[in-house]
Amino acid sequence: MDNRPALGVGMVGYAFMGRVHSQAWRGVSAIFDLPVRPVMTALGGRSAEKAAAAAARLGWASVETDWRRIVERDDIAIVDICTPGDSHAEIAIAALDAGKHVLCEKPLANTVAEAEAMAEAARRAAAKGVRAMVAFNYRRVPAVALARRYVAEGRLGEIRHVRAQYLQDWIVDPEFPLVWRLQKEKAGSGALGDIGAHIIDLAQYITGQRLTGVSALTETFIKERPLAEESSGLAGESRTGAKGPVTVDDAALFIGRFDGGALGSFEATRFATGRKNALRIEVNGSLGSLAFDFEAMNELWFCDATEPDAGFRRILATEPHHPYAGAWWPPGHGLGYEHTFVHEVKDFLEAIATGTDPSPSFEDGLQVQRVLAAVEESAANGSRWTDL
Amino acid sequence: MDNRPALGVGMVGYAFMGRVHSQAWRGVSAIFDLPVRPVMTALGGRSAEKAAAAAARLGWASVETDWRRIVERDDIAIVDICTPGDSHAEIAIAALDAGKHVLCEKPLANTVAEAEAMAEAARRAAAKGVRAMVAFNYRRVPAVALARRYVAEGRLGEIRHVRAQYLQDWIVDPEFPLVWRLQKEKAGSGALGDIGAHIIDLAQYITGQRLTGVSALTETFIKERPLAEESSGLAGESRTGAKGPVTVDDAALFIGRFDGGALGSFEATRFATGRKNALRIEVNGSLGSLAFDFEAMNELWFCDATEPDAGFRRILATEPHHPYAGAWWPPGHGLGYEHTFVHEVKDFLEAIATGTDPSPSFEDGLQVQRVLAAVEESAANGSRWTDL
Amino acid sequence: MDNRPALGVGMVGYAFMGRVHSQAWRGVSAIFDLPVRPVMTALGGRSAEKAAAAAARLGWASVETDWRRIVERDDIAIVDICTPGDSHAEIAIAALDAGKHVLCEKPLANTVAEAEAMAEAARRAAAKGVRAMVAFNYRRVPAVALARRYVAEGRLGEIRHVRAQYLQDWIVDPEFPLVWRLQKEKAGSGALGDIGAHIIDLAQYITGQRLTGVSALTETFIKERPLAEESSGLAGESRTGAKGPVTVDDAALFIGRFDGGALGSFEATRFATGRKNALRIEVNGSLGSLAFDFEAMNELWFCDATEPDAGFRRILATEPHHPYAGAWWPPGHGLGYEHTFVHEVKDFLEAIATGTDPSPSFEDGLQVQRVLAAVEESAANGSRWTDL
Amino acid sequence: MDNRPALGVGMVGYAFMGRVHSQAWRGVSAIFDLPVRPVMTALGGRSAEKAAAAAARLGWASVETDWRRIVERDDIAIVDICTPGDSHAEIAIAALDAGKHVLCEKPLANTVAEAEAMAEAARRAAAKGVRAMVAFNYRRVPAVALARRYVAEGRLGEIRHVRAQYLQDWIVDPEFPLVWRLQKEKAGSGALGDIGAHIIDLAQYITGQRLTGVSALTETFIKERPLAEESSGLAGESRTGAKGPVTVDDAALFIGRFDGGALGSFEATRFATGRKNALRIEVNGSLGSLAFDFEAMNELWFCDATEPDAGFRRILATEPHHPYAGAWWPPGHGLGYEHTFVHEVKDFLEAIATGTDPSPSFEDGLQVQRVLAAVEESAANGSRWTDL
């Protein structure tokens, strides 16, 4: 008999992010001892037919074609938002105001104004015991969480440098179509918000420092692309010879300063040919350094300069005492991308059950949004230094 | 409405292997389009209480404390054997004779005689459309399946060398207890059967060649270990100061020849300090080479010597056209250990649905068993060359 | 009988750079078939005693305590300048005007004005058949020269990204003394001119593009250091407890644009704990990518995205057809740091012998100097975009 | 004034090995403070014309066409033997008996009998203060010498495993000609003696243990090759369509036991496509592990299992306190293949000057020869275990 309280989950959106979140909701209870029991109650999507097919496949018990129904249903306690950024604010605020806990995909919003409203809604909700979390899943890579632990323990000393890159190459081909991620009104920005947001969040999370100012440049290498039939996923299909303008950045580079004195170098691009999902971060401190690359996500490289013959050592973050890792398999039997979402959902459920604020909060998401806005402002003004 | 035929699955054993298999049965349908629908019908375990807890957690609908009930139940079409090797033969033969499809963990058995009886049972069953498969899961790493594809396409030319190692270090500490994997009557052999079996299978699978003879040595570095309270899992706990003899090998090394003319060098050990799950294989051919290390399981290293400035290149086996990978996430968003079992279950279900013999068959498992026996025989006779 | 014309070489300075250059002058003729024969005629240094000891050890036939004598001597055809940057201009201009070929260490000078005067002197000299070259030795790493060849052949397509880092850690310790490289009047700048100059040159050399503007920041983490007894080398020794101000940058970061449309991200630092001499450059183009790290200097990583299953491949740049490599050892028998200078000297001697302008020219050195100045200007003006 | 005693060196042979040794003799004094001064007195070669050209290029003062003259000359104190293995014994014994110090290339000889006679001559000579050393140059890679230091200091604990491979691919092409290294009467054996000898020596050197028995197999993949015009170097040129038999092994594999209880796995091959000079060795002990690959020769990988979050760390063996490294360049400015010979010559000269026996001695060379013979005997007898 499972006496744990059940929490109904309603998820809005079922494209790439929705598929991964479903894996997490479905699998989390088999791996982690949770104080509550998530139930995959409803999937929200505009097309009843497509949503039903997705729900059947992904394990959702029912379907709603209007996200407002998800927000209203009494059997739903958690709303999981997996839609493009232009709808985050409306759904999240409505859900929070309706007393639903909210997990929202990143970036939190498409504008700072939206993000501010969302953070405000989260504050109101928190006062009533309702929780909100933004889904920066990469914090939940065990190697990344271990990196954070090292910095927090002081093993790196004073942090001097952060260099972070998120390198992909899926739109190098100029014939790749104009999917929604390349449209400003849908996605807010391009590489910057989609993947740049991750490295901004990770840099701040790992170091415990916040960016105070940036100087940036952005570029759109391919100005026009074939129109896509479908615009709700990573892949698309061109129907005709017609083209449309790419209205977001293909790449964003910036340098910046952190409030603890560190310098930062950031680069997010979808034009790094041969790099598939190379989220990389290196942190140099006075006592040691850390390096991580998501393409080898089970590895954390750590240099402890206080030991003789120091060098970067490859720690497989799969030991029982490593974050999250003990719940899984024996050492060396690595995890994959989707498991970062399992960890995310686990932490979110625990926060709800224990009545604590989950992290990263909407406030954290807002702060990242401000960095994104500062980067865009700087880039639009000849790389002018832009304070945060 | 899901009109696909349902296939009830009964799994025996719920330790490490049972947990991983459960992940696969639970998750496979969300990722792959299957012609049948697996149902997690029953979990078998001797302790009703423990089995019930495991079933609740892992998602099994019912529990049986006698595996014979699993074999008998009408609502079970597939028996999945996740017990130690000493019970494989009895369960598998009974299940096959009862018309159940069988997925059996590796090594197939603890002796060649058992494996022969199992292969014979599989032949009888196949004649009646009942399928049997041995669970060499590492064949289902996308990078490994891609390696096989390359060799089959002739891209390596004539194969000259295979060097395969399976390196772990979980029993380096002499205080690590005498768990069942260190007891011959339970496990059959030590590193040899547990992990050596995998590299033997992989070497033969990737090259398409079979070993024809070996010269071997084995060693037990730590002769006695503290008795373990529990002996059904990787971890154990010593109760008293009492010790018992380790009756299996800690390490097994052998050299051999393949029927296609290649030379092989093999090493399986649990004493490679710092190597956690380093299943490595390198294949050198007249036109190219391949290298793989499970500790970086999403990478296949390929050298095409027919191109100028050849070198080993790191292929992230996460592209849509790579084996299994297209069903998952975008390129670079890697998979983990458990997903090899998802692929295994998927292939097994497809074989059942399409009425074809799954691979690796029990015959393949028997052949690996013969290699294991030849290695032990050679080692017991001063490394004498032992033909297969 | 060696009928090749002899060319007397006079080298000024015998610290780190002088030692390495001596290796090159002494060894080049044994490896390469040169049309001329360099003779190690004279070593210049202020202390007669120390210079004599260095000359004996390093293989120089005589000693001069005034560099002007080196410039004047009839038996000297080549002047090799290995002094700190503050003396480059004076020596180089005098030597060129005296009709001596000049090899000058980088950065070319400490200011743009000096560099302009030097480039002007080089132009005057060239008209008389006298050659001048700036010693960006890393161009002569075989892997780097191979990278340039690939870009020139179009194998990368249109260049989109350059990310270059030069990471060292030799002054992380605040007790490391105030050597000349940390003093602006001697060194001109810190990490920027010392190692940043190299990655600026390499980025432009490999891509064939020039930077058109930058936005930069610099930082001096440790503001004061113990005074060093000696200030002419990398190492130093503190005499008393007295401290002096560090007047150069510890780290310099900048982003920029190239005239061919590429974006650049640059970082030079002496505070990357655990990185010893990590000169790294990655170039992404529309058809492929390249990556290099001097800490593994015999390797070039190349991704040819036009082939199926593309990935970065590790080319050991030690094949007979690779730049410089054919003159040395069999494939895989790698070279070291000093050999980049052997190649430099070889190319310089060939340029002299064949009456062609060597590369990188003083004009190239001046252009790098302008980038260094733009970086400093931008950093001094709140990262303001600074055109070149 | 250089008051150090001069020691004339006479080198026999000027192909690949002679070229590298010349680099060492010419350069050693500029890097290391030596108590003696080597003088490159005479080069021995059968063709007066070719030897003279080589001497001019490589820096030898005179030429002898009969090696006996080298042995006799009063101005020669050291004889350096760089000829194929069939002439080692005759030259070395004559030189030692004539009171010359001898540095002899590896393998020491082509047979155990020859090696025994050489070791006997070395013993006789040692009694008279005459030194003999066999040129296992890879011991002088700083990373390898550091590995030895770690084991000697007990940092690895009890050694359990050695896995050593020397992988090359220069004769994969069946049209590569029948050079002297493929002829038993010249070379003694193939991959076994040429490169296998190195890993045997390194395994024993690093662990401080000696092999006590082996089980082996060897193979010649390509039985016939085009005749080469010239047979004294790695490269050759086929003159006609005629072919001749390859009389040595292309690959040799063996497993063995060490006197300290470790197990060894060895593989030497010239058919590892894509591996150029991959001399690799990994050592696993009860407290830690080491790994090395000559293709990245400046790196030693060390895992200290006594520290939490252990992992293999990449030590750049270029620090001042690392073996040999302090005499060269700053950290991270790596060395190359030829520098191992500089170190070898340095150690040899110091042994001569200080009247100590250099290492590895001819006795060490003889012991390796015995291992080579045991490998061949085992391989010839169906991999029969062969004691040493």
Side-chain angles (χ1 to χ4, degrees):
Chain A
M1 259 306 294
D2 193 338
N3 292 318
R4 297 172 301 160
L7 288 179
V9 181
M11 186 177 81
V12 191
Y14 52 85
F16 173 29
M17 276 304 109
R19 286 178 60 223
V20 188
H21 281 232
S22 298
Q23 295 283 102
W25 291 116
R26 191 185 330 108
V28 65
S29 302
I31 299 297
F32 292 99
D33 286 317
L34 294 171
V36 290
R37 187 165 54 87
V39 179
M40 296 170 75
T41 303
L43 177 66
R46 276 168 297 188
S47 155
E49 188 183 9
K50 287 183 183 172
R57 182 181 189 115
L58 301 176
W60 296 92
S62 66
V63 161
E64 297 291 350
T65 54
D66 184 344
W67 62 261
R68 288 171 191 82
R69 274 292 298 147
I70 301 258
V71 166
E72 292 162 8
R73 279 175 61 163
D74 288 342
D75 59 349
I76 286 177
I78 294 170
V79 175
D80 181 6
I81 305 173
C82 294
T83 54
D86 60 338
S87 55
H88 287 186
E90 187 179 15
I91 303 174
I93 294 169
L96 288 167
D97 285 348
K100 311 299 191 196
H101 309 291
V102 172
L103 175 63
C104 182
E105 259 307 316
K106 43 55 55 186
L108 189 58
N110 279 2
T111 67
V112 168
E114 289 171 344
E116 282 172 340
M118 293 169 79
E120 174 56 32
R123 271 191 299 272
R124 286 196 305 269
K128 297 181 285 185
V130 174
R131 311 293 160 193
M133 180 162 130
V134 60
F136 284 117
N137 66 298
Y138 289 113
R139 288 193 183 196
R140 266 78 186 187
V141 176
V144 169
L146 185 60
R148 169 60 195 148
R149 184 189 290 176
Y150 274 30
V151 174
E153 289 173 352
R155 300 190 67 179
L156 267 69
E158 196 173 336
I159 306 299
R160 263 69 182 262
H161 287 290
V162 177
R163 64 191 65 82
Q165 297 144 17
Y166 202 146
L167 310 178
Q168 297 184 336
D169 73 351
W170 54 281
I171 58 171
V172 167
D173 182 355
E175 294 307 310
F176 188 93
L178 193 62
V179 296
W180 72 262
R181 285 180 192 272
L182 306 184
Q183 302 169 24
K184 187 172 181 58
E185 67 279 12
K186 279 284 186 190
S189 66
L192 178 61
D194 182 21
I195 54 180
H198 277 301
I199 49 176
I200 292 165
D201 180 65
L202 279 198
Q204 297 187 137
Y205 166 64
I206 292 175
T207 62
Q209 295 187 22
R210 293 211 157 178
L211 282 159
T212 58
V214 297
S215 174
L217 59 81
T218 60
E219 182 63 74
T220 305
F221 295 111
I222 307 291
K223 313 291 188 196
E224 285 199 322
R225 290 182 177 274
L227 293 176
E229 184 159 3
E230 224 282 87
S231 64
S232 63
L234 258 181
E237 206 180 334
S238 76
R239 190 165 32 174
T240 70
K243 292 200 170 188
V246 175
T247 48
V248 299
D249 59 280
D250 285 338
L253 282 68
F254 64 97
I255 49 180
R257 290 181 182 274
F258 289 84
D259 56 13
L263 307 182
S265 174
F266 291 81
E267 186 169 358
T269 180
R270 293 162 169 167
F271 276 74
T273 304
R275 303 299 180 193
K276 298 305 173 183
N277 203 41
L279 187 172
R280 299 168 176 180
I281 186 161
E282 177 165 332
V283 181
N284 305 128
S286 56
L287 302 180
S289 291
L290 288 166
F292 172 79
D293 181 345
F294 185 79
E295 286 188 355
M297 69 169 273
N298 293 291
E299 303 172 16
L300 178 66
W301 291 80
F302 172 51
C303 173
D304 179 350
T306 66
E307 63 191 6
D309 291 343
F312 280 79
R313 72 171 183 253
R314 175 179 176 260
I315 300 169
L316 281 180
T318 57
E319 296 294 317
H321 64 282
H322 289 156
Y324 308 107
W328 295 92
W329 322 118
H333 296 68
L335 298 182
Y337 170 70
E338 77 179 59
H339 299 124
T340 61
F341 294 87
V342 178
H343 304 160
E344 182 171 273
V345 154
K346 172 235 172 203
D347 287 342
F348 186 49
L349 290 169
E350 287 181 348
I352 292 170
T354 59
T356 53
D357 273 325
S359 173
S361 66
F362 274 22
E363 198 63 44
D364 294 325
L366 166 59
Q367 194 270 344
V368 170
Q369 205 70 38
R370 288 192 170 122
V371 178
L372 298 176
V375 167
E376 290 194 311
E377 183 186 328
S378 174
N381 289 280
S383 304
R384 189 178 63 194
W385 185 261
T386 304
D387 285 318
L388 277 155
Chain B
M1 260 305 293
D2 193 338
N3 292 317
R4 296 174 302 160
L7 287 179
V9 182
M11 187 177 80
V12 192
Y14 52 83
F16 173 27
M17 276 304 111
R19 287 179 60 224
V20 188
H21 282 233
S22 298
Q23 294 283 102
W25 291 116
R26 190 184 333 106
V28 63
S29 302
I31 299 296
F32 292 99
D33 287 316
L34 294 172
V36 291
R37 186 164 55 88
V39 179
M40 296 172 74
T41 303
L43 177 66
R46 274 167 300 189
S47 154
E49 189 182 8
K50 288 184 182 171
R57 182 181 190 113
L58 301 176
W60 296 92
S62 66
V63 160
E64 298 289 350
T65 54
D66 184 343
W67 62 262
R68 287 170 192 81
R69 274 292 298 148
I70 302 257
V71 166
E72 292 162 7
R73 279 174 60 164
D74 287 342
D75 58 350
I76 286 177
I78 294 171
V79 175
D80 181 6
I81 305 172
C82 293
T83 54
D86 60 337
S87 56
H88 286 186
E90 188 180 12
I91 303 175
I93 294 170
L96 288 168
D97 286 348
K100 311 298 191 196
H101 308 292
V102 173
L103 175 62
C104 182
E105 258 307 317
K106 45 51 60 186
L108 188 59
N110 279 2
T111 66
V112 168
E114 288 171 344
E116 282 173 341
M118 293 169 78
E120 173 56 32
R123 270 191 299 274
R124 283 195 308 268
K128 295 180 285 182
V130 174
R131 310 294 160 193
M133 179 162 131
V134 60
F136 284 116
N137 67 299
Y138 289 113
R139 288 193 183 196
R140 265 78 185 186
V141 175
V144 169
L146 184 60
R148 168 61 194 147
R149 185 190 288 176
Y150 274 30
V151 174
E153 290 173 353
R155 299 189 68 180
L156 266 69
E158 195 173 338
I159 305 300
R160 262 69 183 259
H161 287 290
V162 177
R163 67 190 64 83
Q165 296 144 16
Y166 201 145
L167 310 178
Q168 298 184 336
D169 72 352
W170 55 281
I171 58 171
V172 167
D173 181 355
E175 294 308 309
F176 188 92
L178 193 63
V179 297
W180 72 263
R181 285 179 191 273
L182 306 183
Q183 302 168 23
K184 187 172 180 57
E185 66 280 12
K186 278 283 186 192
S189 66
L192 178 61
D194 183 22
I195 53 181
H198 277 302
I199 48 176
I200 292 165
D201 181 65
L202 278 198
Q204 298 188 137
Y205 166 64
I206 291 174
T207 62
Q209 296 187 20
R210 295 211 155 178
L211 281 159
T212 58
V214 296
S215 174
L217 59 80
T218 61
E219 182 63 74
T220 304
F221 295 111
I222 307 292
K223 314 290 189 196
E224 285 199 325
R225 290 182 177 274
L227 293 176
E229 185 159 4
E230 225 281 88
S231 64
S232 64
L234 260 181
E237 206 180 332
S238 75
R239 190 164 30 173
T240 71
K243 292 199 171 188
V246 175
T247 47
V248 300
D249 59 280
D250 286 337
L253 283 69
F254 64 97
I255 49 180
R257 291 180 181 274
F258 288 84
D259 56 13
L263 307 182
S265 174
F266 292 81
E267 187 170 357
T269 180
R270 292 161 169 169
F271 276 75
T273 304
R275 303 300 179 190
K276 299 304 174 184
N277 202 41
L279 187 172
R280 300 168 175 182
I281 186 162
E282 177 166 334
V283 181
N284 305 128
S286 55
L287 302 179
S289 290
L290 289 166
F292 172 79
D293 182 344
F294 185 79
E295 287 188 354
M297 70 168 272
N298 292 292
E299 303 172 15
L300 178 66
W301 292 80
F302 171 52
C303 173
D304 179 351
T306 66
E307 62 190 7
D309 291 342
F312 279 78
R313 73 173 182 251
R314 175 177 174 263
I315 300 168
L316 282 180
T318 58
E319 297 293 317
H321 64 282
H322 289 158
Y324 307 107
W328 295 93
W329 321 118
H333 296 68
L335 299 181
Y337 170 70
E338 78 179 60
H339 299 123
T340 61
F341 294 87
V342 178
H343 303 161
E344 182 171 273
V345 154
K346 172 237 173 201
D347 287 342
F348 186 49
L349 290 169
E350 286 182 347
I352 291 171
T354 58
T356 53
D357 274 324
S359 172
S361 66
F362 274 24
E363 197 64 42
D364 294 325
L366 166 60
Q367 194 270 344
V368 170
Q369 206 69 37
R370 288 192 170 123
V371 177
L372 297 176
V375 167
E376 291 196 310
E377 183 185 330
S378 173
N381 288 279
S383 304
R384 189 177 65 194
W385 185 261
T386 304
D387 285 317
L388 278 155
Chain C
M1 261 307 293
D2 192 337
N3 292 317
R4 297 174 300 162
L7 288 179
V9 181
M11 187 177 82
V12 192
Y14 51 84
F16 173 28
M17 276 303 110
R19 286 178 61 224
V20 188
H21 282 231
S22 297
Q23 294 283 101
W25 292 116
R26 192 186 329 107
V28 64
S29 302
I31 299 297
F32 292 98
D33 286 318
L34 295 171
V36 291
R37 187 164 54 87
V39 178
M40 296 172 75
T41 303
L43 177 66
R46 275 167 299 187
S47 154
E49 189 184 7
K50 287 183 182 171
R57 182 181 188 115
L58 301 176
W60 297 92
S62 66
V63 160
E64 298 290 349
T65 55
D66 184 345
W67 62 261
R68 288 170 191 82
R69 275 291 297 149
I70 302 256
V71 166
E72 292 162 8
R73 279 174 61 164
D74 288 342
D75 59 349
I76 287 178
I78 295 171
V79 175
D80 180 6
I81 304 172
C82 294
T83 55
D86 60 338
S87 55
H88 287 185
E90 188 180 13
I91 302 175
I93 294 170
L96 288 168
D97 286 349
K100 311 299 192 196
H101 308 293
V102 172
L103 175 63
C104 183
E105 259 307 317
K106 43 52 60 185
L108 188 58
N110 280 3
T111 67
V112 169
E114 288 171 343
E116 282 173 340
M118 292 170 78
E120 173 57 32
R123 271 191 298 273
R124 285 195 306 270
K128 295 180 286 184
V130 173
R131 311 292 160 194
M133 179 162 133
V134 59
F136 285 116
N137 66 296
Y138 290 113
R139 289 193 182 195
R140 266 78 186 186
V141 176
V144 169
L146 185 61
R148 168 60 195 148
R149 184 190 289 175
Y150 274 31
V151 174
E153 290 173 352
R155 299 190 67 179
L156 266 69
E158 196 173 337
I159 305 300
R160 262 70 182 258
H161 287 290
V162 177
R163 68 191 63 82
Q165 298 144 16
Y166 201 145
L167 310 178
Q168 297 184 336
D169 73 352
W170 56 280
I171 59 171
V172 167
D173 182 355
E175 293 308 310
F176 187 92
L178 193 62
V179 296
W180 71 264
R181 285 179 191 271
L182 306 183
Q183 302 169 24
K184 187 172 179 57
E185 67 280 11
K186 279 283 186 191
S189 65
L192 178 60
D194 183 22
I195 54 180
H198 278 301
I199 49 177
I200 292 166
D201 181 65
L202 279 198
Q204 298 187 135
Y205 166 64
I206 291 175
T207 61
Q209 295 187 21
R210 294 211 156 176
L211 282 159
T212 59
V214 296
S215 173
L217 60 80
T218 59
E219 183 62 75
T220 304
F221 295 109
I222 307 292
K223 314 290 190 196
E224 284 200 324
R225 289 180 178 276
L227 293 176
E229 186 160 4
E230 225 281 270
S231 64
S232 64
L234 260 180
E237 205 179 334
S238 77
R239 191 165 31 176
T240 71
K243 292 199 173 190
V246 175
T247 48
V248 300
D249 58 281
D250 286 338
L253 283 67
F254 63 98
I255 49 180
R257 291 181 181 273
F258 289 84
D259 56 13
L263 308 182
S265 173
F266 292 81
E267 186 169 359
T269 180
R270 291 161 170 168
F271 276 74
T273 304
R275 303 300 180 190
K276 299 304 173 182
N277 202 41
L279 187 173
R280 301 168 176 182
I281 186 162
E282 177 165 332
V283 182
N284 305 128
S286 55
L287 301 179
S289 291
L290 288 167
F292 172 79
D293 181 344
F294 186 79
E295 286 189 356
M297 68 169 273
N298 293 292
E299 302 172 16
L300 178 66
W301 293 79
F302 171 52
C303 173
D304 179 351
T306 66
E307 61 190 7
D309 291 343
F312 280 78
R313 72 173 182 253
R314 176 178 175 260
I315 300 170
L316 282 180
T318 57
E319 297 292 317
H321 65 282
H322 290 157
Y324 307 108
W328 295 93
W329 321 117
H333 295 69
L335 298 182
Y337 170 69
E338 77 179 61
H339 299 125
T340 61
F341 294 88
V342 178
H343 304 160
E344 181 171 272
V345 154
K346 172 235 171 203
D347 287 342
F348 186 49
L349 290 169
E350 287 181 347
I352 292 171
T354 58
T356 53
D357 273 325
S359 173
S361 66
F362 274 23
E363 199 62 45
D364 295 325
L366 166 59
Q367 196 269 344
V368 170
Q369 205 70 38
R370 288 192 170 121
V371 178
L372 297 176
V375 167
E376 291 195 311
E377 184 186 328
S378 174
N381 288 279
S383 304
R384 189 177 65 195
W385 184 261
T386 304
D387 284 318
L388 278 156
Chain D
M1 260 307 295
D2 192 338
N3 292 316
R4 298 173 301 161
L7 287 179
V9 181
M11 186 177 82
V12 191
Y14 51 85
F16 173 28
M17 276 304 110
R19 287 178 60 223
V20 188
H21 282 233
S22 297
Q23 295 283 101
W25 291 115
R26 191 186 331 107
V28 65
S29 302
I31 299 297
F32 292 99
D33 286 319
L34 295 171
V36 291
R37 185 164 55 88
V39 179
M40 295 172 75
T41 303
L43 176 66
R46 274 169 299 189
S47 154
E49 190 183 7
K50 288 183 182 171
R57 181 180 190 116
L58 301 176
W60 296 92
S62 67
V63 160
E64 297 290 350
T65 54
D66 184 344
W67 62 261
R68 289 171 191 83
R69 274 293 297 147
I70 302 256
V71 166
E72 291 162 6
R73 280 175 60 164
D74 287 341
D75 60 349
I76 287 177
I78 294 171
V79 175
D80 181 6
I81 304 173
C82 293
T83 54
D86 60 336
S87 55
H88 287 186
E90 188 180 13
I91 302 175
I93 294 170
L96 288 168
D97 286 347
K100 311 299 191 194
H101 308 293
V102 171
L103 175 63
C104 182
E105 260 305 319
K106 44 53 58 185
L108 189 59
N110 279 2
T111 66
V112 169
E114 288 171 343
E116 283 173 340
M118 293 169 78
E120 173 55 33
R123 271 191 296 275
R124 283 194 308 269
K128 295 181 286 183
V130 174
R131 310 294 161 191
M133 179 163 133
V134 59
F136 284 116
N137 66 298
Y138 289 113
R139 288 192 182 196
R140 265 78 186 188
V141 175
V144 169
L146 185 60
R148 169 59 195 149
R149 185 189 289 176
Y150 274 31
V151 174
E153 290 172 352
R155 299 189 68 179
L156 267 68
E158 196 173 336
I159 306 299
R160 262 69 183 261
H161 287 289
V162 177
R163 64 191 66 83
Q165 297 144 17
Y166 202 146
L167 310 177
Q168 298 184 335
D169 72 352
W170 53 281
I171 58 170
V172 167
D173 181 355
E175 294 307 308
F176 188 91
L178 192 62
V179 296
W180 72 262
R181 284 178 192 271
L182 305 184
Q183 302 168 23
K184 187 171 180 56
E185 67 279 12
K186 278 284 186 191
S189 65
L192 178 60
D194 183 21
I195 54 181
H198 277 301
I199 49 177
I200 292 165
D201 181 64
L202 279 198
Q204 298 188 135
Y205 166 65
I206 291 174
T207 62
Q209 296 186 20
R210 294 211 156 178
L211 281 159
T212 58
V214 296
S215 174
L217 59 81
T218 59
E219 183 62 76
T220 304
F221 295 110
I222 307 292
K223 314 292 189 195
E224 283 199 324
R225 289 182 178 275
L227 294 176
E229 186 160 2
E230 226 280 89
S231 64
S232 63
L234 261 180
E237 205 181 334
S238 76
R239 190 166 31 174
T240 69
K243 292 198 171 188
V246 175
T247 47
V248 299
D249 59 280
D250 285 338
L253 283 68
F254 64 97
I255 49 181
R257 290 180 181 276
F258 288 84
D259 56 13
L263 307 182
S265 174
F266 291 82
E267 186 169 356
T269 179
R270 293 163 169 166
F271 276 75
T273 303
R275 303 299 180 192
K276 298 304 173 184
N277 202 41
L279 187 172
R280 301 168 175 180
I281 186 161
E282 177 165 332
V283 181
N284 305 129
S286 56
L287 301 179
S289 291
L290 289 167
F292 171 80
D293 181 344
F294 185 79
E295 287 188 355
M297 69 169 273
N298 293 291
E299 304 172 15
L300 179 65
W301 292 80
F302 172 51
C303 173
D304 179 350
T306 66
E307 62 191 6
D309 291 343
F312 280 78
R313 73 173 182 252
R314 174 178 176 262
I315 301 169
L316 281 181
T318 58
E319 297 294 317
H321 64 282
H322 289 157
Y324 307 109
W328 295 93
W329 321 117
H333 296 68
L335 298 182
Y337 170 70
E338 77 179 61
H339 299 124
T340 61
F341 294 88
V342 177
H343 303 161
E344 181 171 273
V345 154
K346 173 238 175 201
D347 288 342
F348 186 49
L349 290 168
E350 287 181 347
I352 292 170
T354 59
T356 52
D357 274 325
S359 173
S361 66
F362 274 23
E363 198 63 43
D364 294 325
L366 166 59
Q367 196 269 345
V368 170
Q369 205 70 38
R370 287 191 172 124
V371 177
L372 298 176
V375 168
E376 291 195 311
E377 184 186 328
S378 174
N381 288 280
S383 304
R384 189 177 65 194
W385 185 261
T386 304
D387 285 317
L388 276 155

